[in-house]
Amino acid sequence: MWNREVETMRRRDMDALQLERLQRTVKRVYDTVPFYRARLDGAGITPDGVKSLNDLRRIPFTVKDDLRDHYPFGLFAAPMREIVRIHASSGTTGKPTTVGYTRADLDMWSECVARLVTMAGGGADDIAQIAFGYGLFTGAFGLHGGLEKIGASVIPMSSGNTEKQIMIMRDFMSTILVSTPSYAMYMSEALEEQGVKKSDLKLRIGLFGAEGSTEEMRRQLEHRWGITATENYGMSELVGPGVSGECTRKTGMHINEDCFIPEIINPETGETLEYGQTGELVITTVLKEGIPLLRYRTKDITRLIPEPCACGRTTMRMAKIQGRSDDMLIIRGVNVFPSQVESVLLGMAHISPHYQLVVSKSGYTDVLEVVVELEDDALLDSFGQLETLEKSIKHKLHVVLGLDAQVRLAEPKTIERSTGKAKRVIDLR
Ligand code: DLL
């Protein structure tokens, strides 16, 4: 373990630590951020009024629009001369959301990432190839800081240039790959095309994150690369990667609870749900100085697992993200997450792990078309086999989604590959 004291802390001690840090955070934002002072005054909360962790529930939520409304630096709780790094969200619409880090924030960030790398089995002997884009996106710099902290040899490849990734991976004997799961999948295809065998490589661990993936996707990645694949979670507003990560038991992502207090709420009513229930993840940062966030609504749908893990860590875990509440498609009144479609498709014979959901309207009716790519040309000449495959996919989708979807089989290598976060949904409505 990277930090045994924190990672195996008794619940009582963790609660006390969180409360003390929460009180300090509330005081900090009350004193320095006019937005928070007004919000807290409006809810009748003074910093002295936070007496227990239960008082957290009285604090109003913070949402992405609050960050946008105060773009770029309006929610910073530290003077600019103390801010030593600025990142921004990868959002594609409108203004990005900006995040400022003090020196202490950067230390906290790399500490959190060091823990998740260690729990995935990484250490000072590893050679880590970072295939996230360096830039305003937090993925590369975040993993970079944590990997350097544990003493791994870091290769700051950045994303893209897949052929070169593979050359470097082989020549530099990389043992850890850091990327999105979809890019790792794409790279594994390129590996085959370049005639490189996994036995030519020294890769042993995949640290995947920044987008969702199913257990089946993990199995395929582990098989294709001959690695242990773990997943980690975060978002730029909170810190970037480092909010939580899986240990080698792979039974949920351990949350760095000394820095982030998790809650699950009903996204419609805002009511706090019990552990184990599925809903929207809400996070309060309790150690950040640059831009602390109180009860930030992540829009990510998951559940919390409070039981200690078989690995010995006692920190709360979060289950795989089911999807984002704003990614959820409503098709003819039925809720559909792209991850449900992935769970159907991956693992079926003859199809590649690349797919897309195209949603359109025919008159007043929603139409869901699932574009599935064939693995190789072998089936293209056999109409009978294609038809059987299509029927079988349709049937499975119907069972899992509870609605009829159209299925289009696409020729091999025709669905666009991504070197970052994959775009799985095209909504034409
Ligand atoms: O994706 C931070 C990150 C980088 C995390 C690298 C892990 C590794 P954003 O670009 O702000 O930040 O996107 C945040 O990505 O709200 C989730 O919807 C999604 N996401 C991140 N990790 C996971 C994951 C980074 N493990 C948004 N599973 C979040 C599912 C994830 N979704």
Side-chain angles (χ1 to χ4, degrees):
M1 281 184 213
W2 180 256
N3 188 333
R4 186 169 290 276
E5 189 193 341
V6 171
E7 292 175 77
T8 63
M9 199 173 261
R10 285 180 308 182
R11 181 49 42 191
R12 201 176 344 125
D13 297 333
M14 181 60 83
D15 284 352
L17 182 67
Q18 286 184 334
L19 177 61
E20 182 213 317
R21 291 182 174 175
L22 173 67
Q23 287 167 330
R24 259 194 284 156
T25 299
V26 172
K27 182 160 170 37
R28 181 182 186 93
V29 297
Y30 191 85
D31 290 345
T32 56
V33 185
F35 161 81
Y36 274 119
R37 178 180 285 248
R39 273 282 166 96
L40 292 166
D41 280 344
I45 299 167
T46 58
D48 296 342
V50 180
K51 303 269 191 239
S52 80
L53 285 179
N54 279 334
D55 287 329
L56 190 61
R57 296 183 186 190
R58 296 170 39 226
I59 297 177
F61 296 117
T62 308
V63 296
K64 203 178 183 90
D65 276 346
D66 295 327
L67 283 146
R68 289 218 176 98
D69 291 347
H70 296 85
Y71 174 83
F73 306 144
L75 294 192
F76 283 15
M80 280 317 272
R81 67 186 318 270
E82 286 177 22
I83 299 289
V84 295
R85 177 87 67 76
I86 298 170
H87 280 282
S89 73
S90 50
T92 45
T93 49
K95 296 274 193 198
T97 48
T98 5
V99 186
Y101 302 73
T102 63
R103 203 167 291 285
D105 289 339
L106 289 186
D107 287 346
M108 179 271 270
W109 191 10
S110 41
E111 161 73 23
C112 288
V113 173
R115 289 182 204 161
L116 74 87
V117 176
T118 309
M119 71 177 94
D125 293 326
D126 279 297
I127 300 174
Q129 181 161 339
I130 300 189
F132 280 137
Y134 280 76
L136 289 179
F137 176 57
T138 52
F141 278 99
L143 266 302
H144 189 119
L147 281 156
E148 266 189 7
K149 193 175 176 94
I150 66 166
S153 317
V154 179
I155 311 171
M157 272 303 288
S158 211
S159 64
N161 203 343
T162 307
E163 222 167 280
K164 190 164 176 196
Q165 297 271 4
I166 290 165
M167 182 189 86
I168 295 286
M169 189 179 283
R170 185 169 55 182
D171 295 351
F172 292 10
M173 291 172 283
S174 308
T175 57
I176 295 182
L177 171 63
V178 175
S179 72
T180 57
S182 56
Y183 188 38
M185 189 59 85
Y186 171 23
M187 282 166 86
S188 76
E189 285 179 347
L191 200 68
E192 282 167 24
E193 278 162 19
Q194 280 175 239
V196 179
K197 293 193 286 302
K198 59 186 175 190
S199 55
D200 299 333
L201 304 173
K202 293 278 186 281
L203 208 64
R204 61 183 201 95
I205 295 174
L207 292 175
F208 300 131
E211 68 181 7
S213 59
T214 55
E215 280 302 332
E216 186 50 40
M217 174 79 111
R218 185 209 307 273
R219 269 191 292 278
Q220 291 213 15
L221 286 169
E222 292 191 326
H223 173 72
R224 282 167 178 248
W225 287 102
I227 56 170
T228 296
T230 60
E231 174 178 7
N232 61 86
Y233 167 87
M235 70 194 307
S236 50
E237 295 93 309
L238 297 172
V239 66
V243 173
S244 63
E246 280 179 330
C247 66
T248 48
R249 307 271 168 161
K250 304 173 195 168
T251 49
M253 295 178 271
H254 289 274
I255 300 172
N256 283 310
E257 274 190 277
D258 55 325
C259 307
F260 305 99
I261 304 183
E263 294 172 89
I264 298 289
I265 62 161
N266 175 329
E268 261 115 59
T269 62
E271 167 207 5
T272 309
L273 301 179
E274 295 302 317
Y275 294 145
Q277 288 185 281
T278 298
E280 179 181 340
L281 178 71
V282 169
I283 296 270
T284 299
T285 70
V286 288
L287 211 54
K288 271 175 67 174
E289 297 177 340
I291 174 165
L293 290 175
L294 299 182
R295 302 194 84 201
Y296 189 67
R297 292 189 60 161
T298 65
K299 299 213 166 154
D300 291 317
I301 306 294
T302 182
R303 68 190 158 82
L304 294 176
I305 308 167
E307 294 80 26
C309 180
C311 72
R313 290 180 183 81
T314 52
T315 42
M316 185 90 64
R317 282 167 288 156
M318 52 187 265
K320 261 185 182 303
I321 303 287
Q322 264 185 22
R324 289 179 57 75
S325 55
D326 47 9
D327 273 359
M328 189 184 76
L329 296 164
I330 303 181
I331 296 165
R332 300 194 292 274
V334 179
N335 297 347
V336 173
F337 281 114
S339 61
Q340 292 174 294
V341 174
E342 182 173 309
S343 72
V344 169
L345 299 179
L346 268 75
M348 284 187 74
H350 307 302
I351 60 178
S352 84
H354 303 279
Y355 62 93
Q356 247 169 4
L357 281 65
V358 184
V359 191
S360 57
K361 272 223 184 279
S362 166
Y364 291 106
T365 313
D366 301 319
V367 179
L368 169 64
E369 181 186 51
V370 179
V371 187
V372 184
E373 193 186 271
L374 291 167
E375 191 157 50
D376 50 49
D377 296 332
L379 243 54
L380 285 176
D381 298 331
S382 164
F383 183 74
Q385 273 183 298
L386 286 177
E387 203 178 39
T388 312
L389 179 62
E390 191 183 306
K391 272 197 185 141
S392 143
I393 297 172
K394 258 190 178 162
H395 173 72
K396 289 189 181 193
L397 285 172
H398 185 87
V399 172
V400 170
L401 307 180
L403 58 81
D404 283 325
Q406 296 180 356
V407 171
R408 175 153 61 90
L409 297 176
E411 288 187 23
K413 310 261 154 53
T414 48
I415 292 183
E416 198 189 337
R417 305 298 193 250
S418 115
T419 59
K421 300 187 191 230
K423 183 161 172 46
R424 308 273 196 213
V425 179
I426 302 172
D427 199 335
L428 305 169
R429 289 175 295 181

